[in-house]
Amino acid sequence: MTRFIKLSDTDNILLVVDPLKKGEEAHAVTALANIPRGHKMAIRKIGKDEPIVKYGQTIGFAREDILPGAWVHEHNVYLHSFERSYEFGTNTHPTRFVDDSARATFEGFQRANGRVGTRNYIATLTSVNCSASVARFIADEINRSGVLDEYPNVDGVISLVHGTGCGIDVKGPAYDVLKRTQWGFATNPNVGGVLMVGLGCEAFQIPRWMKSYDITESETFRTMTIQETGGTRKTVDAGVKAIIDMLPTVNAARRTTQPVSELVLALQCGGSDGYSGISANPALGAAVDMLVAHGGTAVLSETPEIYGAEHLLTRRAENREVGEKLIERIRWWEDYTARHDMEMNNNPSPGNKLGGLTTILEKSLGAAAKGGSTNLRAVLEYAEPILERGLVFMDTPGYDPVSATGQVAGGANVLCFTTGRGSAFGCKPTPSIKLASNSFIYEQMNDDMDVNCGDVLEGVSLAAKGEEIFNEILRVASGGRTKSETLGYGDNEFVPWSLGATM
């Protein structure tokens, strides 16, 4: 018998877990067409222009009369703007913290400023794309040399390079975002040492950046430019020596037992499908509720992918100011996309649609489930420092590498990434735990997936799966390797958000 899920009493569609053939029944309704797994079938007549309802929320409107048993997808669904009721703080409740004696712990690296890392990397950062190759040459030479074998507490040397740093207005948003992002990575608790490499004549000047944050060189923070050092080969040699000099100090860090309140968990989803919002995302939300109860922090992001669900988040805002700030970011995105001749429904992607997602509203309602059920305590700009504990929101694009880069710049020291279609992603210096929304993709891409949430579709409770994810977070935070780390992902996924004109 074909499995299906009806998510709310008010829904006029259901989701088919297994492919449904024309003439087969589900929910006492006969399918009028073949319906792929993860897609939707109408369970009553939906009149032209009537709302399509899933999760008890509007996800779109009928382009034409839709008969019971019809496949419901982009061929007969459209989206138009409609008013949503924004309420503030109407669905908040006091956090039920775990007793101090029962709070979970992990093994992490405590830094001098009190923050705690889950990894201990040395990072080569760049001020401009012109120095990207040199920064990579330095990291590659260290990693190939075998010298790291003598320093077992150092996780590696990573090159975090980007495609900008010049041709930008030094008084504009592009500069400000890059400045915050670079500072955030340099001070992320998963980074024990930094070498910043520049060309010398770029717009993003290293001395100016250092002055803005009152940074001085030290045994674990060094800078150099290719022009002043004498060219590529001399800069590579000088960079290798600088890192070798800082290795003993970085290696002196040791893992010690730390409270879970020191974890800052980035929440991501990519390659989503029709199952994501009912398995992996709410299961991760259950883990988030556990993390917050233990005093930790979770960072929900990807503003275009909470579009249409923001009214549910404002109701969880701890105060009106937090809720208003979220709505202000939504309005900014509406204007931003309009100025570039785009619309918010350009997301979902073709792959999302093949997986069963029809509109951005449907995708967003499922994506927001990653945030669990706790109060929303703060709304942050891209790459702003994450200072509040509990659930916070950071304004980022939906594009995974750019979004995760902002979260890590804010201070995230561990990351969970849900996927239904299968996403090839990893992150450095913050380890990424991949959660599959269905058993098919877990088996299909087993080398990439850490946790299978597909068994939620087979009866495993969200609470049980959330606890499994929570325990996996603790394992990884304590040094356990993720699949993406084993594969070597992370150096190329550093993608700061590029705003404004390139001159």
Side-chain angles (χ1 to χ4, degrees):
M1 183 177 179
T2 301
R3 294 174 298 164
F4 63 88
I5 297 174
K6 185 169 181 279
L7 295 165
S8 167
D9 290 341
T10 60
D11 289 0
N12 51 22
I13 57 92
L14 56 77
L15 180 141
V16 299
V17 175
D18 306 309
L20 188 64
K21 292 181 180 179
K22 181 179 179 180
E24 293 182 336
E25 282 194 2
H27 197 63
V29 177
T30 301
L32 301 180
N34 293 332
I35 301 176
R37 63 185 181 88
H39 284 242
K40 300 174 289 296
M41 182 181 80
I43 56 175
R44 67 167 179 81
K45 181 180 177 181
I46 307 172
K48 184 177 184 296
D49 299 322
E50 188 179 338
I52 311 295
V53 181
K54 181 181 178 183
Y55 305 106
Q57 300 287 327
T58 296
I59 64 166
F61 299 88
R63 194 184 300 276
E64 58 197 29
D65 285 350
I66 300 175
L67 298 177
W71 177 28
V72 178
H73 200 37
E74 56 183 336
H75 63 283
N76 55 9
V77 177
Y78 75 99
L79 186 62
H80 65 70
S81 61
F82 63 98
E83 289 299 317
R84 284 178 285 279
S85 174
Y86 291 133
E87 300 172 2
F88 301 97
T90 56
N91 193 25
T92 59
H93 50 80
T95 302
R96 295 181 179 178
F97 290 109
V98 173
D99 291 340
D100 289 347
S101 60
R103 291 201 178 186
T105 60
F106 70 103
E107 300 299 308
F109 298 98
Q110 185 167 31
R111 305 301 182 185
N113 62 5
R115 297 166 74 196
V116 178
T118 65
R119 295 295 183 269
N120 190 32
Y121 282 107
I122 293 175
T124 58
L125 295 171
T126 59
S127 60
V128 66
N129 182 253
C130 305
S131 56
S133 291
V134 166
R136 282 200 166 125
F137 295 157
I138 293 168
D140 289 347
E141 197 157 312
I142 289 285
N143 290 324
R144 282 196 309 264
S145 69
V147 68
L148 293 178
D149 293 342
E150 303 171 28
Y151 302 98
N153 295 324
V154 178
D155 286 298
V157 177
I158 54 177
S159 54
L160 301 173
V161 306
H162 57 91
T164 181
C166 208
I168 58 175
D169 180 359
V170 296
K171 296 180 181 178
Y175 180 91
D176 291 338
V177 165
L178 183 58
K179 179 178 73 171
R180 284 202 307 269
T181 304
Q182 295 280 33
W183 174 241
F185 270 74
T187 57
N188 186 284
N190 290 358
V191 174
V194 173
L195 172 65
M196 172 73 90
V197 183
L199 177 62
C201 57
E202 59 270 21
F204 193 89
Q205 286 285 304
I206 294 176
R208 181 186 175 197
W209 172 71
M210 292 175 65
K211 184 178 180 180
S212 66
Y213 289 107
D214 195 25
I215 312 170
T216 57
E217 294 215 13
S218 68
E219 59 183 348
T220 56
F221 183 88
R222 296 285 305 280
T223 71
M224 59 187 62
T225 65
I226 298 168
Q227 291 169 348
E228 291 180 356
T229 308
T232 296
R233 185 67 257 170
K234 290 178 182 177
T235 306
V236 172
D237 291 343
V240 167
K241 182 181 184 304
I243 289 175
I244 289 174
D245 287 346
M246 71 174 70
L247 274 170
T249 302
V250 177
N251 188 66
R254 296 289 186 274
R255 288 189 183 273
T256 56
T257 301
Q258 301 292 333
V260 165
S261 57
E262 295 302 325
L263 288 182
V264 180
L265 176 68
L267 309 175
Q268 284 289 319
C269 59
S272 300
D273 68 351
Y275 304 120
S276 295
I278 59 176
S279 62
N281 288 347
L284 178 54
V288 165
D289 287 347
M290 291 184 66
L291 176 68
V292 171
H294 283 263
T297 301
V299 191
L300 186 63
S301 297
E302 303 175 287
T303 312
E305 296 183 13
I306 60 102
Y307 185 72
E310 75 276 7
H311 62 297
L312 302 178
L313 291 171
T314 62
R315 296 172 189 178
R316 291 165 53 191
E318 198 156 82
N319 55 57
R320 188 180 185 91
E321 182 182 2
V322 170
E324 293 279 13
K325 188 168 184 181
L326 181 63
I327 300 309
E328 185 273 326
R329 298 320 301 160
I330 291 290
R331 297 289 179 250
W332 183 92
W333 273 94
E334 289 174 330
D335 176 66
Y336 179 62
T337 52
R339 280 188 281 116
H340 292 276
D341 295 322
M342 299 175 70
E343 60 179 45
M344 296 297 277
N345 204 42
N346 288 143
N347 188 336
S349 69
N352 296 151
K353 292 178 180 180
L354 282 171
L357 296 175
T358 303
T359 68
I360 185 57
L361 303 187
E362 180 182 12
K363 185 178 183 182
S364 294
L365 289 163
K370 298 192 304 292
S373 62
T374 61
N375 298 348
L376 180 63
R377 302 209 60 218
V379 173
L380 307 170
E381 301 271 345
Y382 186 87
E384 273 194 322
I386 300 161
L387 303 177
E388 295 281 352
R389 286 200 166 111
L391 177 67
V392 303
F393 185 87
M394 178 180 285
D395 179 31
T396 75
Y399 184 41
D400 309 315
V402 179
S403 180
T405 295
Q407 292 172 317
V408 175
N413 54 11
V414 66
L415 185 153
C416 277
F417 188 116
T418 69
T419 184
R421 301 287 293 170
S423 186
F425 177 84
C427 186
K428 290 178 182 175
T430 295
S432 173
I433 302 166
K434 301 292 281 298
L435 312 176
S437 74
N438 62 84
S439 298
F440 172 81
I441 205 64
Y442 179 77
E443 298 296 338
Q444 179 80 357
M445 296 181 63
N446 188 254
D447 288 341
D448 295 81
M449 301 297 136
D450 296 287
V451 178
N452 180 22
C453 298
D455 51 10
V456 169
L457 304 171
E458 297 153 15
V460 173
S461 71
L462 290 173
K465 185 55 62 172
E467 186 171 1
E468 180 185 341
I469 295 169
F470 180 72
N471 288 331
E472 177 68 0
I473 293 167
L474 299 185
R475 184 191 73 82
V476 170
S478 298
R481 303 271 284 177
T482 66
K483 296 284 184 71
S484 62
E485 287 180 294
T486 301
L487 290 167
Y489 277 96
D491 295 79
N492 296 318
E493 286 72 17
F494 174 70
V495 188
W497 191 5
S498 182
L499 285 167
T502 300
M503 304 299 289

